[in-house]
Amino acid sequence: RKLPFFASDFYDALSIQSLSTTLFIYLATITNAITFGGLLGDATDNMQGVLESFLGTAVSGAVFCMFAGQPLTILSSTGPVLVFERLLFNFSKDHELDYLEFRLWIGLWSAFLCFILVVTDASSLVKYFTRFTEEGFASLISFIFIYDA
């Protein structure tokens, strides 16, 4: 039933509107990766920086686009990620832990928990979240940035 539209999936991508959207998304992602990559380098004594931010954005974006079915979602560093990395770096330095190894284990544990959430269809619980939950997290991030300033 979808076979007649298969070819148009490829040649429609070459229209001027698709190309301009792709260029816009690319530039938005690159500028974000440069900005937060530089800030991340300052926060982690250059253990993570612009190059790692580029690589992480490229790999996560490609995997997300291939398997999530939403190719226009921009995945890159944000303010909460920067705050988390700064706190994690300071914690690992204070407790004499290897930051990159510690970060690897946190990533593996997060991937395992995400897999469990997917298998159990936990996304059905999103309907119970309210705007209050989102604003609570936004307030927390704001307070952390104000405290750091």
Side-chain angles (χ1 to χ4, degrees):
R1 147 180 101 114
K2 294 182 182 180
L3 187 60
F5 305 106
F6 184 74
S8 73
D9 289 344
F10 293 98
Y11 65 76
D12 286 347
L14 299 177
S15 71
I16 191 68
Q17 187 176 5
S18 294
L19 292 176
S20 65
T21 303
T22 303
L23 181 64
F24 173 75
I25 296 291
Y26 172 75
L27 293 175
T29 304
I30 287 295
T31 55
N32 196 9
I34 291 171
T35 303
F36 281 104
L39 293 172
L40 193 58
D42 292 341
T44 62
D45 289 340
N46 289 324
M47 292 185 123
Q48 289 187 19
V50 175
L51 185 61
E52 290 82 5
S53 185
F54 278 149
L55 183 63
T57 300
V59 170
S60 64
V63 169
F64 189 81
C65 290
M66 293 296 206
F67 296 109
Q70 297 181 13
L72 293 180
T73 302
I74 300 173
L75 298 172
S76 59
S77 294
T78 58
V81 172
L82 180 63
V83 169
F84 172 74
E85 294 295 339
R86 182 184 302 135
L87 293 173
L88 184 66
F89 180 75
N90 291 334
F91 178 83
S92 62
K93 189 167 52 171
D94 292 342
H95 295 285
E96 298 178 3
L97 298 169
D98 183 18
Y99 167 71
L100 292 177
E101 183 179 332
F102 192 39
R103 186 67 183 94
L104 170 73
W105 282 108
I106 289 174
L108 291 174
W109 183 248
S110 298
F112 173 72
L113 289 178
C114 284
F115 180 74
I116 296 298
L117 291 173
V118 167
V119 168
T120 59
D121 193 28
S123 64
S124 64
L125 300 175
V126 170
K127 62 184 173 189
Y128 298 113
F129 292 149
T130 63
R131 187 168 170 89
F132 175 78
T133 308
E134 177 187 350
E135 291 180 2
F137 280 112
S139 298
L140 174 66
I141 297 304
S142 299
F143 287 137
I144 290 172
F145 275 121
I146 290 169
Y147 176 78
D148 282 346

